[in-house]
Amino acid sequence: QVQLVESGGGLVQAGDSPRLSCAASGRILRTYALGWFRQAPGKDREIVAAISWSGTKTYYTDSVKGRFTISRDNAENTVYLQMNSLKPEDTAIYFCEARNGPLMTTTTMYQYWGQGTQVTVSS
């Protein structure tokens, strides 16, 4: 069993650069791919970024390329999402998800997820 706890969200201004963190417990995530997904009101959950277990492969959805960076610290069992140049359209609940296998880009392929952290970007 894996427990994921996200932190770092809140109310921010457009252009700010907060960092989300996701701490895992219950099982070492060294072999798990990790992803950040987000869900805005009235919309489906969508992928933001994902990283392979080794950290050598990453994926970003087009709308965040060049602005967001996903990284992981396997020693600390933690994954991060550095968000730069935030826009109001980035407002959503951000979820950390984990899967025991290769990097995937759809939420249905992930076995574990946290409760999410709200990010609200004001203009």
Side-chain angles (χ1 to χ4, degrees):
Q1 190 70 17
V2 175
Q3 294 82 42
L4 302 170
V5 179
E6 303 94 338
S7 61
L11 175 63
V12 298
Q13 299 289 322
D16 281 356
S17 300
R19 186 178 75 164
L20 303 183
S21 299
C22 174
S25 61
R27 186 170 293 182
I28 297 173
L29 294 182
R30 196 171 293 123
T31 60
Y32 284 64
L34 299 169
W36 284 98
F37 292 75
R38 66 187 179 187
Q39 187 165 16
K43 295 187 177 181
D44 293 335
R45 190 175 299 191
E46 63 171 359
I47 188 167
V48 177
I51 189 167
S52 63
W53 68 270
S54 64
T56 57
K57 296 181 181 180
T58 57
Y59 170 88
Y60 297 93
T61 194
D62 286 346
S63 62
V64 307
K65 283 181 180 177
R67 298 191 298 125
F68 291 11
T69 301
I70 188 171
S71 61
R72 65 189 294 164
D73 185 336
N74 285 344
E76 296 295 327
N77 243 15
T78 302
V79 62
Y80 304 97
L81 184 68
Q82 177 65 49
M83 304 187 293
N84 297 330
S85 303
L86 277 178
K87 304 175 182 180
E89 51 263 44
D90 294 317
T91 295
I93 300 175
Y94 283 72
F95 297 89
C96 171
E97 302 191 6
R99 71 180 308 272
N100 190 3
L103 184 157
M104 292 290 182
T105 60
T106 55
T107 185
T108 56
M109 299 303 293
Y110 285 73
Q111 296 107 341
Y112 306 100
W113 52 91
Q115 292 297 310
T117 184
Q118 176 71 48
V119 175
T120 303
V121 185
S122 64
S123 58

